[in-house]
């Protein structure tokens, strides 16, 4: 709980702020994750494009192997996103997993956090399976080809940070600290506190 | 993207509508807002359990991602989001409400990841407010100043409590930027001066509330109310529960730090506080409440000696802030105009002397003030600026200051 604050009193007792219950939470994490998934699905990378990448310039044996891995990736994605969602949601989740693991050899903390942020709690076996699938796919397709593909299509890898507001502003993290006039006089405590707390 | 060299509030854009057909609409229009679902901020966990830390990290990551996205938006899209997305305003409000202040009692989080994430949110929130306080980003990206003033006021993008929160949260290292922000807000929307004027009595009420909780006489409206005959015995700083005393000292510490930060960053607010007799209320509060609270913190039994020491520091810090506030008020409303020279120098000098004279009965305050800001130096400055100043009066004042030091039993350091 926040300690008592002046601005809290001003919000409660003056008429200069918007009156509304701050505790009322419009969006819970479930809604937020759903919204993130919708936004991700609108980005440049799609399941169709990954499928196309896996099938072009490949001999038949590699194509078959890739197709098998893509199926396994979809299954893992289904385990992560949940069965109640439709095919489009599962494919979008598989795209996310492909993008997350394309340059990773294991499921680290960062990847776990990223998947949880997108889908909520998930079975770790599904994450391990998808990581392994993606690694085998990348081995079939070649690291640099996959990297170029991701860089070209994934807008999250090309954010317009260079033009973001405030990028050149020198921000200070300094914060106010206690600046007392004097220390607690030690002699005062011990002499007087024995009998005066009534 | 909207067209150039025309203020955003006058621009029209043509873009695909919900059914795919192109339509023209004002550049600042709710239909141009994106559904982003900003989540409210929750402070870092105090006990630092890994699960809670993880929850904080996840939550905070949503906020930094969304605010970074917002800051990267072009000017027109940014303002559509700011004006029409309630979830964004709730997110920013929740940060101002719950973000830990440097002076909070809770220990800093131990996890470096939590500290780093908190720093990222802190910066992103500040930059968002900075952008919201900027009506002209470039030659091409700007709002008509009057419309900007209307937008920020009517949509409560800024209000007085928010401005105070911004000062206490970000003011320590970003005072120049904050000064520019607040100055621009007040310049483009003078209604904020009216709001400030309405807020000062509530600030005064806060000090009266503290006095009331200590069972001390209030000078304000509450003192005019007759006491109920069957009202229960009033608690004092010595008899109230320890938790109440802790809360009271925390409240005083937060209040004095916040007001001081605001006046320091935005000195133009001094005249609003001054016009409500803030200075005399502050000095009489100091004289009445400080000795009582000091005595309670020193004499009560605390099982936790660390807490007792912390409370003392907070009380002593509050004293310093009150003294500094008094100096800021005197400096900006009387001394500065005298030093600048001008038509009304004599009036300002008279007012300054009047204030110093009014301090004479408040001996504890006077000696603490004089320790920080030598009254003799100010009077000497006054004599240089206005050689004809009444010497009998200034001598009387200086003797009064000496006597204040004697009566509180302390020796003057200078």
């Amino acid at each position: 709980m926040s300690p008592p604050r002046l601005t809290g009193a001003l919000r409660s007792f003056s008429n200069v702020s918007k009156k509304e219950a701050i505790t009322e939470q419009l969006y819970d994490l479930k809604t937020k994750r759903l919204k993130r998934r919708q936004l991700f699905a609108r980005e440049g990378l799609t399941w169709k494009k990954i499928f196309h990448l896996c099938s072009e310039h490949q001999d038949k044996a590699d194509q078959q192997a890739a197709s098998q891995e893509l199926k396994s990736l979809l299954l893992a994605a289904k385990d992560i996103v949940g069965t109640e969602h439709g095919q489009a949601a599962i494919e979008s989740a598989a795209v996310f997993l492909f993008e997350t693991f394309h340059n990773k050899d294991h499921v680290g903390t960062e990847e776990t956090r990223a998947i949880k942020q997108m889908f909520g709690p998930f079975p770790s076996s599904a994450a391990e399976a998808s990581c392994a699938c993606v690694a085998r796919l990348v081995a079939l397709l070649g690291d640099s080809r996959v990297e170029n593909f991701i860089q070209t299509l994934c807008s999250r890898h090309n954010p317009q940070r260079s033009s973001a507001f405030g990028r050149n502003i020198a921000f200070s993290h300094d914060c106010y600290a206690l600046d007392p006039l004097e220390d607690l006089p030690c002699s005062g405590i011990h002499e007087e506190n024995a009998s005066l707390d009534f | 993207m909207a067209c150039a060299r025309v203020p955003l509030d006058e621009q029209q854009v043509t873009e695909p509508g919900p059914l795919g057909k192109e339509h023209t609409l004002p550049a600042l229009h709710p239909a141009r807002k994106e559904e982003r679902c900003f989540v409210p901020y929750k402070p870092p966990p105090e006990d630092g359990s890994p699960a809670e830390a993880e929850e904080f990290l996840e939550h905070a990551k949503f906020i930094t991602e969304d605010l970074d996205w917002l800051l990267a938006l072009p000017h027109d899209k940014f303002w559509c989001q700011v004006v029409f997305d309630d979830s964004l305003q709730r997110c920013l409000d929740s940060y101002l409400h719950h973000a830990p202040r440097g002076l909070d009692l809770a220990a800093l989080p131990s996890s470096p990841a939590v500290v780093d994430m908190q720093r990222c949110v802190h910066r992103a929130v500040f930059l968002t407010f900075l952008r919201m306080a900027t009506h002209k980003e470039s030659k091409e990206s700007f709002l008509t100043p009057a419309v900007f003033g209307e937008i920020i006021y009517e949509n409560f993008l800024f209000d007085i409590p928010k401005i105070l929160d911004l000062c206490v949260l970000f003011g320590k290292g970003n005072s120049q930027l904050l000064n520019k922000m607040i100055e621009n807000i007040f310049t483009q929307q003078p209604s904020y001066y009216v709001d400030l004027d309405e807020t000062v009595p509530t600030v005064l009420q806060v000090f009266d509330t503290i006095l009331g909780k200590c069972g001390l006489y209030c000078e304000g409206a509450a003192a005019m109310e007759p006491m109920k005959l069957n009202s229960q015995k009033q608690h004092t700083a010595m008899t109230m529960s320890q938790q109440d005393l802790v809360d009271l000292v925390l409240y005083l510490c937060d209040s004095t730090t916040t007001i001081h930060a605001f006046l320091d960053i935005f000195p133009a607010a001094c005249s609003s506080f001054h016009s409500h007799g803030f200075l005399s209320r502050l000095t009489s509060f100091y004289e009445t409440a400080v000795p009582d609270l000091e005595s309670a913190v020193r004499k009560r039994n605390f099982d936790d000696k660390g807490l007792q020491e912390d409370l003392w520091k907070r009380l002593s810090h509050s004293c310093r802030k009150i003294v500094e506030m008094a100096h800021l008020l005197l400096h900006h409303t009387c001394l500065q105009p005298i030093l600048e020279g001008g038509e009304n120098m004599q009036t300002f000098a008279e007012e300054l002397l009047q204030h110093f004279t009014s301090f004479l009965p408040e001996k504890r305050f006077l000696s603490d003030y004089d320790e920080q800001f030598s009254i003799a130096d100010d009077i000497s400055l006054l004599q240089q600026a206005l050689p004809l100043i009444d010497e009998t009066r200034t001598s009387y004042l200086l003797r009064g200051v000496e006597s204040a030091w004697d009566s509180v039993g302390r020796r003057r350091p200078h």
Side-chain angles (χ1 to χ4, degrees):
Chain A
M1 204 179 104
S2 296
R5 300 208 202 283
L6 170 75
T7 49
L10 298 185
R11 285 187 177 96
S12 303
F13 302 116
S14 70
N15 292 317
V16 295
S17 323
K18 196 174 184 176
K19 295 279 175 232
E20 63 182 356
I22 192 74
T23 47
E24 188 192 327
Q25 197 167 320
L26 258 184
Y27 300 109
D28 58 13
L29 292 186
K30 214 173 164 185
T31 321
K32 178 66 189 167
R33 288 190 187 109
L34 188 65
K35 178 50 66 186
R36 285 184 99 233
R37 294 206 290 273
Q38 287 168 358
L39 290 172
F40 178 78
R42 281 178 8 204
E43 290 182 9
L45 197 55
T46 61
W47 183 247
K48 215 173 166 180
K49 286 173 183 165
I50 293 175
F51 193 85
H52 184 69
L53 173 81
C54 295
S55 50
E56 66 177 358
H57 313 303
Q58 300 273 16
D59 60 37
K60 205 164 180 184
D62 282 354
Q63 266 190 36
Q64 270 183 347
S67 171
Q68 197 52 48
E69 296 304 343
L70 289 175
K71 272 185 198 161
S72 305
L73 184 58
L74 274 179
L75 277 177
K78 194 175 177 182
D79 283 348
I80 288 173
V81 80
T83 44
E84 72 272 26
H85 297 279
Q87 186 63 18
I90 293 166
E91 284 180 1
S92 177
V95 172
F96 180 81
L97 294 168
F98 183 83
E99 191 194 316
T100 303
F101 291 121
H102 79 275
N103 53 3
K104 302 284 182 311
D105 56 7
H106 70 284
V107 186
T109 319
E110 210 178 299
E111 293 76 43
T112 306
R113 197 171 282 154
I115 298 172
K116 190 169 168 247
Q117 278 210 294
M118 193 64 102
F119 307 104
F122 62 93
S124 60
S125 58
E128 299 287 351
S130 55
C131 181
C133 274
V134 175
R136 288 192 292 269
L137 274 171
V138 173
L140 283 169
L141 301 166
D143 287 356
S144 56
R145 200 168 149 221
V146 174
E147 192 58 48
N148 286 341
F149 171 75
I150 296 279
Q151 290 294 336
T152 319
L153 288 170
C154 183
S155 53
R156 284 195 303 156
H157 288 264
N158 306 301
Q160 293 180 319
R161 292 280 176 269
S162 58
S163 60
F165 179 90
R167 69 201 177 279
N168 294 326
I169 285 170
F171 175 74
S172 165
H173 284 279
D174 283 359
C175 50
Y176 290 107
L178 284 179
D179 184 15
L181 283 168
E182 55 178 324
D183 288 333
L184 178 63
C186 293
S187 56
I189 317 172
H190 304 300
E191 281 168 16
E192 293 169 294
N193 69 5
S195 60
L196 289 171
D197 191 17
F198 35 78
Chain B
M1 183 70 143
C3 34
R5 304 290 166 117
V6 176
L8 176 61
D9 43 283
E10 290 175 19
Q11 288 178 26
Q12 300 276 318
V13 288
T14 303
E15 53 186 27
L19 300 171
K21 201 179 161 191
E22 289 217 321
H23 64 163
T24 300
L25 69 169
L28 209 49
H29 192 277
R32 302 193 69 218
K33 169 198 84 166
E34 295 225 21
E35 280 306 327
R36 190 79 191 182
C37 303
F38 286 82
V39 293
Y41 169 83
K42 284 178 183 170
E46 281 174 25
D47 71 348
S49 80
E52 282 183 321
E54 198 54 44
E55 195 188 332
F56 167 79
L57 290 174
E58 184 183 23
H59 217 91
K61 179 90 169 121
F62 284 142
I63 296 176
T64 52
E65 258 184 22
D66 285 343
L67 291 182
D68 286 349
W69 166 82
L70 181 76
L71 290 167
L73 286 179
H75 186 247
D76 56 332
K77 289 282 204 177
F78 170 82
W79 278 100
C80 285
Q81 210 67 32
V82 159
V83 175
F84 303 115
D85 188 345
D86 282 346
S87 75
L88 166 61
Q89 292 311 321
R90 277 171 198 271
C91 167
L92 295 172
D93 283 3
S94 63
Y95 188 79
L96 298 185
H97 280 242
H98 301 298
R101 275 69 172 148
L103 278 74
D104 279 354
L105 206 50
L108 285 171
S110 53
S111 152
V114 170
V115 173
D116 280 354
M117 184 55 85
Q118 172 58 29
R119 284 166 70 90
C120 288
V121 180
H122 195 59
R123 183 175 189 273
V125 169
F126 178 75
L127 290 178
T128 306
F129 275 108
L130 177 60
R131 197 174 188 190
M132 278 166 30
T134 309
H135 68 280
K136 186 173 181 180
E137 278 182 27
S138 67
K139 281 180 185 168
E140 292 80 28
S141 305
F142 63 98
L143 283 154
T144 308
V147 176
F148 164 76
E150 204 176 305
I151 287 174
I152 57 169
Y153 191 74
E154 295 304 327
N155 294 288
F156 293 94
L157 302 189
F158 291 95
D159 58 31
I160 299 297
K162 283 187 191 184
I163 293 169
L164 293 178
D165 279 330
L166 288 171
C167 287
V168 79
L169 280 167
F170 302 102
K172 173 72 177 162
N174 305 287
S175 59
Q176 285 186 336
L177 271 174
L178 266 170
N179 170 268
K180 279 188 180 177
M181 283 165 68
I182 301 172
E183 224 166 54
N184 194 41
I185 291 166
F186 275 75
T187 306
Q188 309 309 339
Q189 182 50 274
S191 297
Y192 283 113
Y193 280 111
V194 180
D195 283 2
L196 181 59
D197 211 46
E198 273 186 38
T199 311
V200 179
T202 316
V203 175
L204 287 169
Q205 189 60 51
V206 165
F207 288 106
D208 285 347
T209 303
I210 294 173
L211 285 175
K213 295 242 183 221
C214 295
L216 296 165
Y217 168 75
C218 310
E219 236 183 60
M224 306 301 284
E225 292 168 14
M227 208 176 185
K228 280 183 189 167
L229 287 174
N230 62 352
S231 64
Q232 289 194 334
K233 191 175 168 268
Q234 182 71 52
H235 276 296
T236 66
M238 277 307 286
T239 61
M240 67 176 66
S241 74
Q242 185 174 302
Q243 189 54 51
D244 283 350
L245 181 65
V246 171
D247 282 347
L248 207 63
V249 174
L250 285 175
Y251 193 33
L252 177 63
C253 185
D254 176 76
S255 302
T256 51
T257 309
T258 304
I259 305 165
H260 176 267
F262 176 56
L263 294 178
D264 191 32
I265 288 162
F266 185 55
C270 285
S271 48
S272 295
F273 279 77
H274 200 59
S275 67
H276 283 271
F278 193 72
L279 192 56
S280 66
R281 295 284 288 276
L282 205 58
T283 53
S284 71
F285 169 84
Y286 194 97
E287 200 67 14
T288 317
V290 168
D292 251 48
L293 286 167
E294 274 184 352
S295 168
V297 173
R298 284 176 61 190
K299 293 177 183 170
R300 287 179 62 141
N301 258 328
F302 284 85
D303 291 335
D304 179 354
K305 294 295 170 201
L307 174 66
Q308 182 180 23
E309 224 162 278
D310 184 80
L311 285 185
W312 179 269
K313 278 185 186 161
R314 282 171 198 279
L315 191 54
S316 180
H317 168 91
S318 308
C319 291
R320 183 190 285 277
K321 291 298 148 193
I322 293 177
V323 164
E324 288 178 357
M325 264 192 269
H327 181 255
L328 278 172
L329 288 167
L330 285 178
H331 183 85
H332 290 290
T333 57
C334 304
L335 259 174
Q336 190 67 29
I338 295 169
L339 296 176
E340 281 168 1
E343 285 177 11
N344 299 323
M345 276 169 74
Q346 192 66 47
T347 317
F348 288 120
E350 180 57 39
E351 202 183 326
L352 183 66
L353 289 175
Q354 194 70 48
H355 282 303
F356 282 152
T357 311
S358 74
F359 292 170
L360 292 179
E362 323 282 17
K363 296 188 186 310
R364 171 65 199 274
F365 172 80
L366 187 60
S367 58
D368 283 353
Y369 181 93
D370 189 51
E371 190 176 1
Q372 300 297 311
F373 307 101
S374 160
I375 291 180
D377 287 355
D378 281 348
I379 287 180
S380 154
L381 216 71
L382 211 59
Q383 284 166 333
Q384 288 169 46
L386 294 155
L388 293 176
I389 208 116
D390 182 0
E391 207 168 312
T392 322
R393 201 167 166 196
T394 52
S395 309
Y396 170 74
L397 248 175
L398 292 174
R399 276 200 306 277
V401 175
E402 269 175 45
S403 133
W405 277 94
D406 292 342
S407 65
V408 295
R410 291 160 66 197
R411 286 236 311 268
R412 238 172 147 168
H414 48 82

